[in-house]
Coordinates of all heavy atoms in Angstrom, one line a residue:
T1 N 15.3 3.3 11.0 CA 16.0 3.5 9.8 C 15.6 4.8 9.1 O 14.5 5.3 9.4 CB 15.7 2.3 8.8 OG1 16.5 2.6 7.6 CG2 14.3 2.2 8.5
K2 N 16.5 5.4 8.3 CA 16.2 6.7 7.7 C 15.7 6.4 6.2 O 15.5 7.4 5.5 CB 17.4 7.5 7.6 CG 17.9 8.0 9.0 CD 19.1 8.8 8.9 CE 19.5 9.3 10.3 NZ 20.6 10.2 10.3
L3 N 15.4 5.2 5.9 CA 14.9 4.9 4.5 C 13.6 5.6 4.2 O 12.7 5.5 5.0 CB 14.7 3.4 4.4 CG 14.4 2.8 3.1 CD1 15.6 3.0 2.1 CD2 14.1 1.3 3.2
T4 N 13.6 6.3 3.1 CA 12.3 7.1 2.8 C 11.7 6.6 1.5 O 10.5 6.9 1.2 CB 12.7 8.6 2.6 OG1 13.6 8.8 1.6 CG2 13.2 9.2 3.9
M5 N 12.4 5.8 0.7 CA 11.8 5.3 -0.6 C 12.2 3.8 -0.7 O 13.4 3.5 -0.5 CB 12.4 6.1 -1.8 CG 11.8 5.7 -3.1 SD 12.5 6.6 -4.5 CE 11.6 8.1 -4.3
L6 N 11.2 3.0 -1.1 CA 11.5 1.6 -1.3 C 10.7 1.1 -2.5 O 9.4 1.3 -2.5 CB 11.1 0.8 0.0 CG 11.4 -0.7 0.0 CD1 12.9 -1.0 -0.2 CD2 10.9 -1.2 1.4
S7 N 11.3 0.4 -3.4 CA 10.6 -0.2 -4.5 C 10.9 -1.7 -4.5 O 12.0 -2.2 -4.6 CB 11.1 0.4 -5.8 OG 10.5 -0.2 -6.9
L8 N 9.8 -2.5 -4.4 CA 9.9 -3.9 -4.3 C 9.1 -4.6 -5.4 O 8.6 -5.7 -5.2 CB 9.5 -4.4 -2.9 CG 10.3 -3.9 -1.7 CD1 9.6 -4.3 -0.4 CD2 11.7 -4.6 -1.8
G9 N 8.8 -3.9 -6.5 CA 8.0 -4.4 -7.5 C 8.5 -5.7 -8.1 O 9.7 -6.0 -8.3
N10 N 7.5 -6.6 -8.4 CA 7.8 -7.9 -9.1 C 8.8 -8.7 -8.4 O 9.8 -9.2 -9.1 CB 8.1 -7.6 -10.6 CG 7.0 -7.1 -11.3 OD1 5.8 -7.5 -11.2 ND2 7.3 -6.1 -12.2
N11 N 8.7 -9.0 -7.1 CA 9.7 -9.7 -6.4 C 9.1 -11.0 -5.7 O 9.7 -11.5 -4.8 CB 10.4 -8.9 -5.3 CG 11.5 -8.1 -5.9 OD1 12.5 -8.6 -6.4 ND2 11.3 -6.7 -5.9
N12 N 7.9 -11.4 -6.1 CA 7.3 -12.6 -5.6 C 7.1 -12.5 -4.1 O 7.2 -13.5 -3.3 CB 8.0 -13.9 -5.9 CG 8.1 -14.1 -7.4 OD1 7.0 -14.0 -8.1 ND2 9.2 -14.5 -7.9
I13 N 6.8 -11.3 -3.6 CA 6.6 -11.1 -2.1 C 5.2 -11.4 -1.8 O 4.3 -11.0 -2.5 CB 7.0 -9.6 -1.8 CG1 8.4 -9.3 -2.0 CG2 6.6 -9.3 -0.3 CD1 8.8 -7.9 -1.9
T14 N 5.0 -12.1 -0.6 CA 3.7 -12.4 -0.1 C 3.5 -11.8 1.3 O 2.4 -11.7 1.7 CB 3.4 -13.9 -0.1 OG1 4.5 -14.6 0.7 CG2 3.5 -14.5 -1.5
N15 N 4.6 -11.6 2.0 CA 4.5 -11.1 3.4 C 5.2 -9.8 3.5 O 6.4 -9.7 3.3 CB 5.1 -12.1 4.3 CG 5.0 -11.8 5.8 OD1 4.8 -10.6 6.1 ND2 5.1 -12.8 6.6
I16 N 4.5 -8.7 4.0 CA 5.1 -7.4 4.1 C 5.1 -7.0 5.6 O 5.3 -5.8 5.8 CB 4.4 -6.4 3.2 CG1 2.9 -6.2 3.6 CG2 4.6 -6.7 1.8 CD1 2.2 -5.0 2.9
K17 N 5.0 -7.9 6.5 CA 5.0 -7.5 7.9 C 6.3 -6.7 8.3 O 6.2 -5.7 9.1 CB 4.9 -8.8 8.8 CG 3.5 -9.3 8.8 CD 3.4 -10.5 9.7 CE 2.0 -11.1 9.6 NZ 1.9 -12.3 10.4
P18 N 7.5 -7.0 7.8 CA 8.7 -6.3 8.2 C 8.6 -4.8 7.8 O 9.2 -3.9 8.4 CB 9.8 -7.0 7.5 CG 9.3 -8.3 7.3 CD 7.8 -8.2 7.0
L19 N 7.8 -4.4 6.8 CA 7.7 -3.0 6.4 C 7.1 -2.1 7.4 O 7.3 -0.9 7.4 CB 6.9 -2.9 5.1 CG 7.4 -3.6 3.9 CD1 6.5 -3.4 2.7 CD2 8.8 -3.2 3.6
S20 N 6.3 -2.7 8.4 CA 5.7 -1.9 9.4 C 6.7 -1.1 10.3 O 6.4 -0.2 10.9 CB 4.8 -2.7 10.3 OG 5.5 -3.7 11.0
E21 N 7.9 -1.6 10.3 CA 9.0 -0.9 11.1 C 9.6 0.3 10.4 O 10.4 1.0 11.0 CB 10.1 -2.0 11.4 CG 9.5 -3.2 12.2 CD 8.9 -2.8 13.5 OE1 9.5 -1.9 14.2 OE2 7.9 -3.4 13.9
L22 N 9.4 0.4 9.1 CA 10.0 1.5 8.3 C 9.2 2.8 8.4 O 8.6 3.2 7.4 CB 10.2 1.0 6.9 CG 11.0 -0.3 6.7 CD1 11.0 -0.7 5.2 CD2 12.4 -0.1 7.2
K23 N 9.2 3.4 9.5 CA 8.3 4.5 9.8 C 8.6 5.8 9.0 O 7.8 6.7 9.0 CB 8.4 4.9 11.3 CG 8.0 3.7 12.3 CD 6.6 3.3 12.1 CE 6.3 2.2 13.1 NZ 5.0 1.6 12.9
N24 N 9.8 5.9 8.4 CA 10.1 7.1 7.6 C 9.8 7.0 6.1 O 10.1 7.9 5.4 CB 11.6 7.5 7.8 CG 11.8 8.0 9.2 OD1 11.1 8.8 9.7 ND2 12.9 7.5 9.9
L25 N 9.2 5.8 5.7 CA 8.9 5.6 4.3 C 8.0 6.7 3.8 O 6.9 6.9 4.4 CB 8.3 4.3 4.1 CG 9.3 3.1 3.8 CD1 8.5 1.8 3.5 CD2 10.3 3.4 2.8
G26 N 8.3 7.3 2.7 CA 7.4 8.3 2.1 C 6.9 7.7 0.8 O 5.8 8.1 0.3
S27 N 7.7 6.8 0.2 CA 7.3 6.2 -1.1 C 7.5 4.7 -1.1 O 8.6 4.3 -0.7 CB 8.1 6.9 -2.2 OG 7.8 6.3 -3.5
L28 N 6.5 4.0 -1.5 CA 6.5 2.5 -1.4 C 5.9 2.0 -2.7 O 4.7 2.3 -3.0 CB 5.8 2.0 -0.2 CG 5.8 0.5 0.0 CD1 7.2 -0.1 0.1 CD2 4.9 0.2 1.3
S29 N 6.6 1.1 -3.4 CA 6.1 0.4 -4.5 C 6.1 -1.1 -4.3 O 7.1 -1.7 -4.0 CB 7.0 0.7 -5.8 OG 6.9 2.0 -6.1
L30 N 4.9 -1.7 -4.4 CA 4.8 -3.1 -4.1 C 4.1 -3.8 -5.3 O 3.7 -4.9 -5.2 CB 3.9 -3.4 -2.9 CG 4.5 -2.9 -1.6 CD1 3.5 -3.0 -0.4 CD2 5.8 -3.7 -1.2
Y31 N 4.1 -3.2 -6.5 CA 3.4 -3.7 -7.6 C 3.9 -5.1 -8.0 O 5.0 -5.4 -7.8 CB 3.5 -2.7 -8.8 CG 4.9 -2.5 -9.3 CD1 5.5 -3.3 -10.2 CD2 5.7 -1.5 -8.7 CE1 6.8 -3.2 -10.6 CE2 7.0 -1.3 -9.2 CZ 7.5 -2.1 -10.1 OH 8.8 -2.0 -10.5
G32 N 2.9 -5.9 -8.6 CA 3.3 -7.2 -9.1 C 3.6 -8.2 -8.1 O 4.2 -9.3 -8.5
N33 N 3.2 -8.1 -6.9 CA 3.5 -9.1 -5.8 C 2.1 -9.7 -5.4 O 1.1 -9.0 -5.5 CB 4.2 -8.5 -4.6 CG 5.6 -8.1 -4.9 OD1 6.4 -9.0 -5.2 ND2 5.9 -6.8 -5.0
K34 N 2.1 -10.9 -4.9 CA 0.9 -11.6 -4.5 C 0.7 -11.4 -3.0 O 0.6 -12.3 -2.2 CB 1.0 -13.1 -4.9 CG 1.1 -13.3 -6.3 CD -0.2 -12.7 -7.0 CE -0.1 -12.9 -8.5 NZ -1.2 -12.2 -9.2
I35 N 0.5 -10.1 -2.6 CA 0.3 -9.8 -1.2 C -1.2 -9.7 -1.0 O -1.9 -9.1 -1.8 CB 0.9 -8.4 -0.9 CG1 2.4 -8.4 -1.2 CG2 0.7 -8.0 0.5 CD1 3.0 -7.0 -1.4
N36 N -1.7 -10.3 0.1 CA -3.1 -10.2 0.4 C -3.3 -9.6 1.8 O -4.5 -9.2 2.1 CB -3.8 -11.5 0.3 CG -3.3 -12.6 1.1 OD1 -2.6 -12.3 2.1 ND2 -3.5 -13.9 0.8
D37 N -2.3 -9.4 2.6 CA -2.5 -8.7 3.9 C -1.7 -7.4 3.8 O -0.4 -7.5 3.9 CB -2.0 -9.6 5.0 CG -2.1 -8.9 6.4 OD1 -2.8 -7.8 6.5 OD2 -1.5 -9.4 7.4
F38 N -2.4 -6.3 3.7 CA -1.7 -5.0 3.6 C -1.8 -4.3 4.9 O -1.4 -3.1 5.0 CB -2.4 -4.2 2.5 CG -2.1 -4.7 1.1 CD1 -2.9 -5.7 0.5 CD2 -1.0 -4.2 0.5 CE1 -2.6 -6.1 -0.7 CE2 -0.7 -4.7 -0.8 CZ -1.5 -5.7 -1.4
S39 N -2.2 -4.9 6.0 CA -2.3 -4.2 7.3 C -1.0 -3.7 7.8 O -1.0 -2.6 8.5 CB -3.0 -5.1 8.3 OG -2.3 -6.3 8.5
P40 N 0.1 -4.3 7.5 CA 1.4 -3.7 8.0 C 1.7 -2.3 7.5 O 2.4 -1.6 8.2 CB 2.4 -4.7 7.5 CG 1.7 -6.0 7.4 CD 0.4 -5.6 6.9
I41 N 1.2 -1.9 6.4 CA 1.5 -0.6 5.9 C 0.6 0.5 6.5 O 0.8 1.7 6.3 CB 1.5 -0.5 4.4 CG1 0.1 -0.7 3.8 CG2 2.5 -1.4 3.8 CD1 0.0 -0.4 2.3
T42 N -0.5 0.1 7.2 CA -1.4 1.1 7.8 C -0.8 2.0 8.9 O -1.3 3.0 9.2 CB -2.6 0.4 8.3 OG1 -2.3 -0.5 9.4 CG2 -3.4 -0.4 7.3
T43 N 0.4 1.6 9.4 CA 1.1 2.4 10.4 C 2.1 3.3 9.8 O 2.7 4.0 10.5 CB 1.8 1.4 11.4 OG1 2.8 0.6 10.7 CG2 0.8 0.5 12.1
L44 N 2.3 3.3 8.5 CA 3.3 4.1 7.8 C 2.7 5.5 7.5 O 2.4 5.8 6.4 CB 3.8 3.4 6.6 CG 4.4 2.0 6.8 CD1 4.8 1.4 5.5 CD2 5.5 2.1 7.8
S45 N 2.6 6.3 8.5 CA 1.9 7.6 8.5 C 2.6 8.6 7.6 O 2.0 9.6 7.2 CB 1.7 8.2 9.8 OG 3.0 8.4 10.4
K46 N 3.9 8.4 7.2 CA 4.6 9.4 6.3 C 4.5 9.1 4.8 O 5.0 9.8 4.0 CB 6.0 9.5 6.8 CG 6.2 10.1 8.1 CD 7.7 10.2 8.5 CE 7.8 10.8 9.9 NZ 9.2 11.0 10.2
L47 N 3.8 8.0 4.5 CA 3.6 7.6 3.1 C 2.9 8.7 2.3 O 1.8 9.1 2.7 CB 2.9 6.3 3.0 CG 3.6 5.0 3.0 CD1 2.7 3.8 2.8 CD2 4.8 4.9 2.1
T48 N 3.5 9.1 1.3 CA 2.8 10.1 0.4 C 2.6 9.4 -1.0 O 1.7 9.9 -1.7 CB 3.7 11.4 0.2 OG1 4.9 11.0 -0.4 CG2 3.8 12.1 1.5
S49 N 3.3 8.4 -1.3 CA 3.2 7.7 -2.6 C 3.2 6.2 -2.4 O 4.0 5.7 -1.7 CB 4.4 8.1 -3.5 OG 4.3 7.4 -4.7
L50 N 2.2 5.6 -3.0 CA 2.0 4.1 -2.8 C 1.6 3.5 -4.2 O 0.6 3.9 -4.8 CB 0.9 3.9 -1.8 CG 0.6 2.5 -1.4 CD1 1.9 1.8 -0.8 CD2 -0.5 2.4 -0.3
S51 N 2.3 2.5 -4.6 CA 2.0 1.8 -5.8 C 1.6 0.3 -5.5 O 2.4 -0.4 -5.0 CB 3.1 1.8 -6.8 OG 2.8 1.0 -7.9
L52 N 0.3 0.0 -5.7 CA -0.2 -1.4 -5.4 C -0.7 -2.0 -6.7 O -1.6 -2.9 -6.6 CB -1.2 -1.3 -4.3 CG -0.8 -0.7 -3.0 CD1 -1.9 -0.7 -2.0 CD2 0.4 -1.6 -2.4
N53 N -0.3 -1.6 -7.9 CA -0.7 -2.2 -9.1 C -0.5 -3.7 -9.1 O 0.6 -4.2 -8.6 CB 0.0 -1.6 -10.3 CG -0.3 -0.2 -10.5 OD1 -1.2 0.4 -10.0 ND2 0.5 0.5 -11.3
N54 N -1.5 -4.4 -9.7 CA -1.3 -5.9 -9.9 C -0.9 -6.6 -8.6 O 0.0 -7.4 -8.6 CB -0.3 -6.1 -11.0 CG -0.3 -7.5 -11.5 OD1 -1.3 -8.2 -11.4 ND2 0.7 -8.0 -12.2
T55 N -1.6 -6.3 -7.5 CA -1.5 -7.1 -6.3 C -2.8 -7.7 -6.0 O -3.7 -7.6 -6.7 CB -1.0 -6.1 -5.1 OG1 -2.1 -5.2 -4.9 CG2 0.3 -5.4 -5.4
D56 N -2.9 -8.4 -4.8 CA -4.1 -9.0 -4.4 C -5.0 -8.2 -3.5 O -5.8 -8.7 -2.7 CB -3.9 -10.4 -3.8 CG -3.4 -11.4 -4.8 OD1 -3.6 -11.2 -6.0 OD2 -2.8 -12.4 -4.4
L57 N -4.7 -6.9 -3.5 CA -5.5 -5.9 -2.7 C -7.0 -6.0 -3.1 O -7.3 -5.9 -4.2 CB -5.0 -4.5 -2.9 CG -5.8 -3.4 -2.1 CD1 -5.6 -3.5 -0.6 CD2 -5.4 -2.0 -2.6
Q58 N -7.9 -6.2 -2.1 CA -9.3 -6.2 -2.3 C -10.1 -5.2 -1.6 O -11.3 -5.0 -1.9 CB -9.8 -7.6 -2.0 CG -9.2 -8.7 -3.0 CD -9.9 -10.0 -2.9 OE1 -11.0 -10.1 -2.3 NE2 -9.2 -11.0 -3.4
D59 N -9.5 -4.6 -0.6 CA -10.3 -3.6 0.2 C -9.4 -2.4 0.4 O -8.4 -2.5 1.2 CB -10.7 -4.3 1.5 CG -11.4 -3.3 2.5 OD1 -11.7 -2.2 2.1 OD2 -11.7 -3.7 3.6
I60 N -9.7 -1.3 -0.2 CA -8.8 -0.1 -0.1 C -9.2 0.7 1.2 O -8.5 1.7 1.4 CB -8.8 0.8 -1.3 CG1 -10.2 1.4 -1.6 CG2 -8.3 0.0 -2.5 CD1 -10.1 2.5 -2.6
S61 N -10.2 0.3 1.9 CA -10.5 1.1 3.1 C -9.4 1.2 4.1 O -9.3 2.1 4.9 CB -11.8 0.5 3.8 OG -11.5 -0.8 4.3
L62 N -8.5 0.2 4.1 CA -7.4 0.2 5.0 C -6.4 1.4 4.7 O -5.7 1.8 5.6 CB -6.6 -1.1 5.0 CG -5.9 -1.5 3.7 CD1 -4.5 -1.1 3.7 CD2 -6.0 -3.0 3.6
L63 N -6.5 1.9 3.5 CA -5.6 3.0 3.1 C -6.2 4.4 3.7 O -5.4 5.4 3.7 CB -5.5 3.2 1.6 CG -5.0 2.0 0.9 CD1 -5.0 2.2 -0.6 CD2 -3.7 1.5 1.4
S64 N -7.4 4.4 4.2 CA -7.9 5.6 4.7 C -7.2 6.2 5.9 O -7.3 7.4 6.2 CB -9.4 5.4 5.1 OG -9.6 4.5 6.1
N65 N -6.4 5.4 6.6 CA -5.6 5.8 7.8 C -4.4 6.5 7.3 O -3.7 7.2 8.1 CB -5.3 4.7 8.7 CG -6.4 4.2 9.4 OD1 -7.4 4.9 9.6 ND2 -6.4 2.9 9.8
L66 N -4.0 6.4 6.1 CA -2.8 6.9 5.5 C -3.1 8.3 5.0 O -3.1 8.6 3.8 CB -2.2 6.0 4.5 CG -1.8 4.6 4.9 CD1 -1.4 3.8 3.7 CD2 -0.7 4.7 6.0
T67 N -3.2 9.3 5.9 CA -3.7 10.6 5.5 C -2.7 11.5 4.8 O -3.0 12.5 4.3 CB -4.2 11.3 6.8 OG1 -3.1 11.4 7.7 CG2 -5.4 10.6 7.4
S68 N -1.4 11.1 4.7 CA -0.4 11.8 4.0 C -0.3 11.4 2.5 O 0.4 12.1 1.8 CB 1.0 11.6 4.6 OG 1.0 12.2 5.9
L69 N -1.1 10.4 2.1 CA -1.0 9.9 0.7 C -1.5 11.0 -0.2 O -2.6 11.6 0.0 CB -1.9 8.7 0.5 CG -1.3 7.3 1.0 CD1 -2.3 6.2 0.8 CD2 0.0 7.0 0.2
T70 N -0.7 11.2 -1.2 CA -1.1 12.2 -2.3 C -1.1 11.5 -3.7 O -1.7 12.0 -4.6 CB -0.2 13.4 -2.4 OG1 1.2 13.0 -2.5 CG2 -0.3 14.2 -1.1
Y71 N -0.5 10.3 -3.8 CA -0.4 9.6 -5.0 C -0.5 8.1 -4.8 O 0.2 7.5 -4.0 CB 1.0 9.9 -5.7 CG 1.2 9.2 -7.0 CD1 0.6 9.8 -8.2 CD2 1.9 8.0 -7.1 CE1 0.8 9.2 -9.4 CE2 2.0 7.4 -8.3 CZ 1.5 8.0 -9.5 OH 1.7 7.4 -10.7
V72 N -1.5 7.5 -5.4 CA -1.8 6.1 -5.2 C -2.1 5.5 -6.6 O -2.9 6.0 -7.4 CB -3.0 5.8 -4.3 CG1 -3.3 4.3 -4.2 CG2 -2.8 6.4 -2.9
T73 N -1.4 4.3 -6.9 CA -1.8 3.6 -8.1 C -2.3 2.3 -7.8 O -1.8 1.6 -6.9 CB -0.6 3.5 -9.1 OG1 0.5 2.8 -8.4 CG2 -0.1 4.8 -9.5
L74 N -3.5 1.9 -8.4 CA -4.2 0.7 -8.0 C -4.6 -0.1 -9.3 O -5.6 -0.8 -9.3 CB -5.5 1.1 -7.3 CG -5.3 1.8 -5.9 CD1 -6.6 2.2 -5.4 CD2 -4.5 0.9 -4.9
G75 N -3.8 0.0 -10.4 CA -4.2 -0.6 -11.6 C -4.2 -2.1 -11.5 O -3.4 -2.7 -10.7
E76 N -5.0 -2.8 -12.3 CA -5.1 -4.2 -12.4 C -5.3 -5.0 -11.1 O -4.7 -6.0 -10.8 CB -3.8 -4.8 -13.0 CG -3.6 -4.2 -14.4 CD -2.3 -4.7 -15.1 OE1 -2.0 -5.9 -14.9 OE2 -1.6 -3.9 -15.7
I77 N -6.2 -4.4 -10.2 CA -6.6 -5.1 -9.0 C -8.1 -5.3 -9.0 O -8.8 -4.5 -9.7 CB -6.1 -4.4 -7.7 CG1 -6.7 -3.0 -7.6 CG2 -4.6 -4.4 -7.7 CD1 -6.3 -2.4 -6.3
K78 N -8.6 -6.2 -8.2 CA -10.0 -6.4 -8.1 C -10.5 -5.9 -6.7 O -10.3 -6.6 -5.7 CB -10.3 -7.9 -8.2 CG -10.0 -8.5 -9.6 CD -10.2 -10.0 -9.6 CE -9.8 -10.5 -11.0 NZ -9.9 -12.0 -11.0
I79 N -11.0 -4.7 -6.7 CA -11.4 -4.1 -5.5 C -12.8 -4.4 -5.1 O -13.7 -4.3 -5.9 CB -11.3 -2.6 -5.6 CG1 -9.8 -2.2 -5.9 CG2 -11.7 -1.9 -4.3 CD1 -9.6 -0.7 -6.1
G80 N -13.0 -4.9 -3.9 CA -14.4 -5.2 -3.5 C -15.0 -4.0 -2.8 O -16.2 -3.7 -3.0
K81 N -14.3 -3.3 -1.9 CA -14.8 -2.2 -1.2 C -14.0 -0.9 -1.8 O -12.9 -0.8 -1.6 CB -14.5 -2.3 0.3 CG -15.3 -3.4 0.9 CD -15.0 -3.5 2.4 CE -15.7 -4.6 3.0 NZ -15.5 -4.7 4.5
F82 N -14.8 -0.1 -2.4 CA -14.1 1.0 -3.1 C -14.8 2.4 -2.9 O -14.2 3.3 -2.4 CB -14.1 0.7 -4.6 CG -13.4 1.8 -5.5 CD1 -12.0 1.8 -5.5 CD2 -14.1 2.7 -6.2 CE1 -11.4 2.8 -6.3 CE2 -13.5 3.6 -7.0 CZ -12.1 3.7 -7.0
I83 N -16.0 2.5 -3.3 CA -16.7 3.8 -3.3 C -16.7 4.5 -2.0 O -16.3 5.7 -1.9 CB -18.1 3.7 -3.9 CG1 -18.0 3.2 -5.3 CG2 -18.9 5.0 -3.8 CD1 -19.3 2.9 -6.0
N84 N -17.1 3.9 -0.9 CA -17.2 4.6 0.4 C -15.9 5.1 0.9 O -15.8 6.2 1.5 CB -17.8 3.6 1.4 CG -19.3 3.4 1.2 OD1 -20.0 4.1 0.5 ND2 -19.7 2.2 1.7
T85 N -14.8 4.4 0.6 CA -13.5 4.9 1.0 C -13.1 6.1 0.3 O -12.6 7.1 0.9 CB -12.4 3.8 0.8 OG1 -12.8 2.6 1.5 CG2 -11.1 4.2 1.2
W86 N -13.3 6.2 -1.0 CA -12.9 7.4 -1.8 C -13.7 8.6 -1.4 O -13.2 9.7 -1.4 CB -13.0 7.1 -3.3 CG -11.9 6.2 -3.8 CD1 -12.0 5.0 -4.2 CD2 -10.5 6.5 -3.8 NE1 -10.8 4.5 -4.5 CE2 -9.8 5.4 -4.3 CE3 -9.8 7.7 -3.5 CZ2 -8.5 5.4 -4.5 CZ3 -8.4 7.6 -3.7 CH2 -7.8 6.5 -4.1
V87 N -15.0 8.4 -1.1 CA -15.8 9.5 -0.7 C -15.3 10.1 0.6 O -15.3 11.4 0.8 CB -17.3 9.0 -0.5 CG1 -18.1 10.1 0.1 CG2 -17.9 8.6 -1.8
K88 N -14.8 9.4 1.5 CA -14.2 9.9 2.8 C -12.9 10.7 2.6 O -12.6 11.6 3.3 CB -13.9 8.7 3.7 CG -15.2 8.1 4.3 CD -14.8 6.9 5.2 CE -16.0 6.1 5.6 NZ -15.7 4.9 6.3
W89 N -12.2 10.4 1.5 CA -10.9 11.0 1.3 C -11.2 12.4 0.7 O -11.0 13.3 0.5 CB -10.0 10.3 0.3 CG -9.4 9.1 1.0 CD1 -9.4 8.7 2.3 CD2 -8.6 8.1 0.4 NE1 -8.7 7.6 2.5 CE2 -8.2 7.2 1.4 CE3 -8.1 7.9 -0.9 CZ2 -7.3 6.1 1.1 CZ3 -7.3 6.8 -1.2 CH2 -6.9 5.9 -0.2

């Protein structure tokens, strides 16, 4: 697919496995959803913008593979693993 931007905020989404197929995504908004497995987005190498506000994200180290990211929002989440990941970026 040629889809480059997707906003799915506040949609009661819990499973994002299908997103792993959207290889051309540059911008993704998942805010306000009760997602706890974010591994499907780790293959989206073209992501430059990612909004994960108010989700169940607890470990941002999985974002370290997304080297094209230039904008990330992480408001209102409880992060368990934080400092070491940011130091690597």
Side-chain angles (χ1 to χ4, degrees):
T1 181
K2 295 182 180 184
L3 187 66
T4 60
M5 181 182 284
L6 183 60
S7 181
L8 296 170
N10 294 321
N11 278 296
N12 296 317
I13 295 170
T14 57
N15 182 341
I16 59 169
K17 287 182 184 177
L19 297 182
S20 67
E21 302 299 320
L22 302 176
K23 302 296 184 190
N24 289 314
L25 273 185
S27 178
L28 178 60
S29 294
L30 295 171
Y31 62 87
N33 290 294
K34 297 299 177 190
I35 303 161
N36 58 24
D37 178 12
F38 289 88
S39 60
I41 65 170
T42 61
T43 61
L44 302 179
S45 61
K46 294 184 180 182
L47 273 183
T48 59
S49 176
L50 182 60
S51 176
L52 299 178
N53 295 346
N54 196 20
T55 63
D56 289 340
L57 177 68
Q58 294 190 16
D59 179 4
I60 66 167
S61 65
L62 64 93
L63 303 180
S64 63
N65 291 336
L66 300 174
T67 57
S68 294
L69 279 177
T70 57
Y71 182 81
V72 179
T73 58
L74 300 172
E76 299 180 44
I77 61 174
K78 297 176 183 175
I79 300 173
K81 295 182 181 178
F82 183 77
I83 295 173
N84 290 337
T85 300
W86 285 112
V87 170
K88 290 177 187 175
W89 285 356

